[in-house]
Amino acid sequence: MYEATFELETITPLFMRGADQRKAEFRSASIKGVMRWWFRALAGSYFGNNIAKLREAECRVFGCAGGGGTRRSAVIVEVEPVESNGEYSPKNEYESYFWFSQTGRNSRGAVLPGLTLTITLEGRDEDSLKLAVLSLWTALHLGGFGSRSRKFGGSLFPKKEPGGDVNLDISFVPGQDVEEFYKGVFEGERNITSEFSKILRDMGFKPGPRYGRLPEYPVLNREHSLIVVGDPKGDVSEAIKDVGEWYLGTVGKGGKFEGGFRFKYANRRIPHKIHEKYQQGEERIGSIDVAPERRPFLGLPIPFYKSFGTESVKFTVDHWNADRRASCLLFTVNAVKSQNATEYYPVITLFRYKFLPGYEGPVRYRGGVYKGREKVANAAGALFIIERGQDGEVEYLKYLRELSLSLSTKFTPVYGSEEVFQ
């Protein structure tokens, strides 16, 4: 057996739970699930849209079960058990927004910042363990773990280089120059994506066909992803605020965020339109034109609620082909240490891939108008978030281009290029 051991520090609260939902728990199964996701993102650069071969490679490394047969995992993920009933109090309005479902009145416990966690990977063969180690690198540096992991939740960071039997010549701990660190990992002679592809080739897998216009799933390569970093801050909450001000803006009248990229194309009149139709006597409210409304491009579902005196409008926006579509943006916080201090910097990763299968323009909404708990009008149908007759994919790509340019203007690109989104 080959082995690699990682000593990690919680930078932001970890909202991870097992069977007992009342307390937080650091779980090997959850860690492995995140590693599998990043394995697919890295392997996608090699296999293209050959999903069958991608699944075969994932099965070989992490195991699988189902109609195609059962295969034991070549990599074992072990953690030192940690349980916690700790409650985290957000330090600013941005943390409250990003972790709304896990803090305040919704708090169910978290593994708090500042704790040391240990992960050990054991591999039956060296190649499988190397792929698992590289998958964990991306999970630690570009993502998070547990609930709200795409919005800074569960940011873990290596306190030192991993110990064990595997040497990939790819550092886990950044030096003082954060920009050069990431460029070295992604653009160096032995970079993470080329090393991943080389190992797959050595294992006997053949590369797949190139993508069409867009990959079917998130892929970490120069053509379909963009990574940017923010300036180091002396405090974690300040690093999160730096991104929050770009993404959400500032709190304006009525306690709503204004001025951020997320709300640049938000149509906050949707509940008002539904309520107006109800007041006009409609009891079955159908499709609505709400352009411009681009928030669905940043993830679904989106719950809406608006009170109108004794009445309220509640509905959820999703899509006919999927109740959920994870955001194409991932936010995390990493650390850089000097002799005198530790600083924290945000990392944002943007993936460019198909919005949803069969998407042509409208999305779906489902809900109604309520008096107390009684539904007095049904509201459901298509939300035309773009103008009728416009090409949905074209508008989606335009939005991604503007998003990537905005990111590259506010933060420092370290991988990919906004030019590929033209």
Side-chain angles (χ1 to χ4, degrees):
M1 294 287 283
Y2 296 86
E3 184 177 289
T5 302
F6 302 82
E7 190 174 296
L8 312 172
E9 179 182 346
T10 53
I11 295 181
T12 63
L14 174 64
F15 308 111
M16 183 181 288
R17 297 179 180 87
D20 187 350
Q21 291 290 299
R22 296 171 298 178
K23 60 185 178 183
E25 179 183 347
F26 189 50
R27 305 175 64 244
S28 59
S30 298
I31 299 298
K32 190 173 184 179
V34 175
M35 290 170 59
R36 293 183 81 128
W37 192 93
W38 284 102
F39 176 93
R40 292 191 288 271
L42 282 164
S45 185
Y46 186 75
F47 289 111
N49 277 334
N50 190 336
I51 307 297
K53 281 295 179 183
L54 174 63
R55 288 175 176 167
E56 181 183 334
E58 181 184 346
C59 176
R60 183 165 167 181
V61 175
F62 291 108
C64 56
T70 300
R71 183 171 185 137
R72 186 162 61 98
S73 175
V75 175
I76 299 171
V77 180
E78 295 182 341
V79 303
E80 289 188 5
V82 173
E83 294 183 354
S84 174
N85 290 315
E87 292 192 11
Y88 181 83
S89 298
K91 303 299 188 297
N92 55 45
E93 62 268 33
Y94 302 105
E95 292 186 354
S96 296
Y97 180 93
F98 290 134
W99 303 330
F100 73 96
S101 63
Q102 304 295 321
T103 59
R105 64 181 181 180
N106 297 314
S107 177
R108 290 178 291 171
V111 178
L112 298 177
L115 270 66
T116 297
L117 306 175
T118 302
I119 297 176
T120 300
L121 306 181
E122 294 182 353
R124 289 191 284 112
D125 64 86
E126 188 175 12
D127 284 340
S128 292
L129 183 57
K130 284 182 177 180
L131 294 177
V133 168
L134 293 175
S135 300
L136 184 57
W137 190 101
T138 50
L140 292 170
H141 284 271
L142 306 181
F145 299 82
S147 296
R148 309 307 296 167
S149 60
R150 289 173 182 255
K151 296 296 183 286
F152 294 113
S155 294
L156 310 180
F157 205 69
K159 299 177 71 172
K160 59 183 180 181
E161 294 297 331
D165 307 316
V166 175
N167 182 12
L168 289 162
D169 291 332
I170 292 177
S171 177
F172 273 73
V173 181
Q176 290 297 295
D177 193 327
V178 171
E179 182 179 344
E180 286 303 311
F181 169 74
Y182 285 98
K183 287 184 176 180
V185 170
F186 286 107
E187 306 287 2
E189 185 176 344
R190 292 191 66 181
N191 62 75
I192 193 168
T193 51
S194 64
E195 190 69 16
F196 205 90
S197 296
K198 177 182 179 300
I199 297 169
L200 289 171
R201 191 178 302 112
D202 292 343
M203 294 173 74
F205 291 104
K206 295 182 179 179
R210 300 309 300 163
Y211 316 100
R213 192 173 191 179
L214 288 171
E216 301 284 342
Y217 56 95
V219 174
L220 189 63
N221 63 17
R222 284 192 59 83
E223 291 73 31
H224 298 102
S225 57
L226 175 69
I227 301 172
V228 300
V229 299
D231 294 331
K233 307 288 184 180
D235 181 77
V236 175
S237 297
E238 285 299 310
I240 293 175
K241 180 182 177 182
D242 194 29
V243 176
E245 289 177 339
W246 165 80
Y247 184 64
L248 301 171
T250 56
V251 177
K253 295 181 180 179
K256 294 181 178 180
F257 284 105
E258 298 175 353
F261 190 90
R262 178 171 177 80
F263 299 109
K264 185 176 182 179
Y265 296 108
N267 188 331
R268 284 171 159 158
R269 295 291 303 172
I270 304 175
H272 297 266
K273 287 190 175 185
I274 294 173
H275 192 250
E276 287 167 4
K277 288 178 178 290
Y278 165 70
Q279 289 185 314
Q280 293 166 5
E282 293 190 37
E283 295 183 355
R284 299 186 64 85
I285 302 164
S287 300
I288 302 174
D289 291 308
V290 296
E293 169 60 82
R294 297 293 189 267
R295 280 175 291 179
F297 289 157
L298 294 174
L300 295 172
I302 305 175
F304 283 80
Y305 175 84
K306 175 68 177 177
S307 177
F308 297 89
T310 60
E311 298 156 356
S312 60
V313 174
K314 295 185 286 186
F315 61 95
T316 299
V317 177
D318 53 27
H319 195 260
W320 292 274
N321 293 320
D323 291 339
R324 176 173 174 77
R325 201 272 191 177
S327 175
C328 58
L329 279 174
L330 282 75
F331 301 156
T332 192
V333 181
N334 294 336
V336 58
K337 297 187 177 183
S338 65
Q339 291 182 345
N340 300 320
T342 299
E343 292 187 304
Y344 304 91
Y345 59 95
V347 180
I348 304 175
T349 304
L350 169 63
F351 286 107
R352 178 181 183 263
Y353 63 108
K354 284 189 176 180
F355 175 52
L356 281 169
Y359 173 71
E360 295 179 349
V363 293
R364 174 178 66 172
Y365 81 104
R366 295 176 290 172
V369 181
Y370 293 80
K371 282 189 175 181
R373 295 184 177 181
E374 179 189 2
K375 181 185 281 191
V376 294
N378 187 65
L383 281 182
F384 286 86
I385 63 176
I386 61 176
E387 300 289 346
R388 292 177 188 257
Q390 288 183 325
D391 186 304
E393 186 171 279
V394 169
E395 296 305 312
Y396 171 58
L397 288 173
K398 286 181 181 177
Y399 183 82
L400 288 184
R401 181 176 67 237
E402 186 170 353
L403 175 54
S404 66
L405 289 172
S406 178
L407 277 170
S408 299
T409 301
K410 168 65 179 177
F411 305 101
T412 302
V414 292
Y415 183 63
S417 170
E418 65 272 19
E419 294 176 359
V420 305
F421 291 87
Q422 301 296 326

